[in-house]
Amino acid sequence: MYDFIQKFHSGWAYLALLVLVVAVVNSFIGMSSKKDFTSKDRKIALFALIAIHIQLLVGIILYFVSPLGLASFGQMADKALRLTSLEHPLINIIAIVLITIGWSKHKKLMTSESKFKTFSIFYGLGLLLILSRIPWNMWL
């Protein structure tokens, strides 16, 4: 079961990151070109939100069944174990919270410019945090 969850978490990450990058790029383009915020823009951001939340759920399951997750939490001297047991989960949860806040804030905004700006900031920060804590040596 561990192998399947680990492979799914790694594979889904490609899709989740791709959709998140598309959402961030779309929001930057919309903000810079001053175009109207349409249902297509909302759907792109929503798909990114859903993909990232699925990744979070699978990651939480993986954290508890993996020998690199909760089981190795106290070994902070080892950089690789610290990354997988503390830094990767914590920073990615913070990133997903930022993305979720961006989604929630956009619903209260009225202008297209402010919606694109909100997505650019919150989704962009979330993307940067996620990219900063990917265990690249295990992933590629």
Side-chain angles (χ1 to χ4, degrees), residues 38-59:
T38 64
S39 66
K40 177 192 78 122
D41 301 312
R42 187 186 65 76
K43 287 176 187 173
I44 290 171
L46 179 61
F47 290 149
L49 179 79
I50 292 169
I52 291 297
H53 277 89
I54 290 171
Q55 183 71 357
L56 171 67
L57 292 175
V58 175

Side-chain angles (χ1 to χ4, degrees), residues 4 12 20 26-27 29 35 43 50 57 59 90 92-94 96 101 104 111 119-120 140:
F4 173 76
W12 188 263
L20 184 58
N26 182 62
S27 65
I29 290 171
K35 70 176 198 158
K43 287 176 187 173
I50 292 169
L57 292 175
L90 180 64
N92 286 335
I93 288 171
I94 292 168
I96 293 167
I101 290 170
S104 296
T111 66
F119 281 129
S120 295
L140 299 175

Side-chain angles (χ1 to χ4, degrees), residues 18-28 44-46 48 119-120 123:
L18 175 67
V19 176
L20 184 58
V21 167
V22 168
V24 170
V25 169
N26 182 62
S27 65
F28 277 116
I44 290 171
L46 179 61
F119 281 129
S120 295
Y123 277 46

Side-chain angles (χ1 to χ4, degrees), residues 36-100:
D36 286 337
F37 189 84
T38 64
S39 66
K40 177 192 78 122
D41 301 312
R42 187 186 65 76
K43 287 176 187 173
I44 290 171
L46 179 61
F47 290 149
L49 179 79
I50 292 169
I52 291 297
H53 277 89
I54 290 171
Q55 183 71 357
L56 171 67
L57 292 175
V58 175
I60 288 171
I61 294 167
L62 182 61
Y63 185 74
F64 289 105
V65 300
S66 171
L68 300 174
L70 185 63
S72 61
F73 186 72
Q75 302 174 20
M76 296 296 122
D78 185 344
K79 290 170 99 174
L81 288 177
R82 184 178 63 237
L83 176 65
T84 57
S85 68
L86 178 67
E87 294 172 1
H88 176 73
L90 180 64
I91 297 300
N92 286 335
I93 288 171
I94 292 168
I96 293 167
V97 166
L98 286 171
I99 291 167
T100 305

